[in-house]
Amino acid sequence: LSRLDEGQALEIEPVDLCTVAVDAINDVGVTASEHRFVADLPDEAVLVNGDPSRLQQVLGNLLANARNHTPVGVTVTTTLVVVDGMAKLTVRDDGPGIDPDLLPDLFGRFVRADKARSRSTSSTGLGLAIVSSIVQAHGGNVSVASIPGCTEFTVTMPTVAGGNSAAAVIGVAAQPQ
């Protein structure tokens, strides 16, 4: 988070968000067998200009939050679609929802869920602030909508084919291969 605040350059290259999603879902699935993780991904690659490790961190944080802040038996669905040159990556769960009082500040630093609503005791309250910073550094945005039975985080980023690459948006030259 500090490095992003300092404006340190990302290592930009074409990244397939489908691959990032599959890897992140497989990683969290190993640690959360009591949840059901579902992928609804397109058959073809969805390319964005981005830093692969940072994009993996975004999805990893969102999936880990779903694992840590929902009860056993919850289904977490990761969906990826392209609309008007924008990749739209959604992580949705059918858990109890997020306290409405937290929603306006959810992407702030040190925001933590009520301990009664969370199974995790080691949260720093920085995960969603990191997600937001990384997504913004890639020229995108992240949002959340939550009611009991449906919490949905949506990350939107320009695709390579959309003609509005993240490298152009954030002013970072692509790294040579």
Side-chain angles (χ1 to χ4, degrees), residues 96-162:
I98 299 170
D99 182 342
D101 293 337
L102 283 177
L103 288 174
D105 301 314
L106 198 61
F107 294 102
R109 294 177 185 198
F110 307 112
V111 174
R112 296 183 197 176
D114 179 347
K115 292 291 185 198
R117 297 170 81 79
S118 173
R119 296 182 310 130
S120 173
T121 58
S122 61
S123 172
T124 62
L126 291 173
L128 292 176
I130 291 169
V131 165
S132 180
S133 292
I134 292 171
V135 171
Q136 287 177 14
H138 283 82
N141 64 61
V142 60
S143 62
V144 62
S146 184
I147 59 172
C150 183
T151 295
E152 188 170 278
F153 286 87
T154 302
V155 173
T156 306
M157 296 177 54
T159 62
V160 171

Side-chain angles (χ1 to χ4, degrees), residues 22-107:
V22 168
D23 290 347
I25 293 165
N26 286 337
D27 288 348
V28 76
V30 170
T31 64
S33 60
E34 69 279 359
H35 283 68
R36 181 170 180 245
F37 290 91
V38 176
D40 183 6
L41 307 173
D43 293 332
E44 64 280 349
V46 175
L47 296 177
V48 297
N49 283 326
D51 185 317
S53 62
R54 295 292 176 98
L55 294 174
Q56 184 76 30
Q57 185 178 11
V58 165
L59 194 50
N61 282 1
L62 293 175
L63 291 168
N65 276 354
R67 174 195 64 209
N68 294 337
H69 298 287
T70 61
V72 170
V74 164
T75 298
V76 181
T77 304
T78 302
T79 304
L80 178 60
V81 296
V82 177
V83 178
D84 296 328
M86 299 295 283
K88 186 175 172 183
L89 181 68
T90 304
V91 175
R92 181 181 65 250
D93 70 66
D94 59 2
I98 299 170
D99 182 342
D101 293 337
L102 283 177
L103 288 174
D105 301 314
L106 198 61
F107 294 102

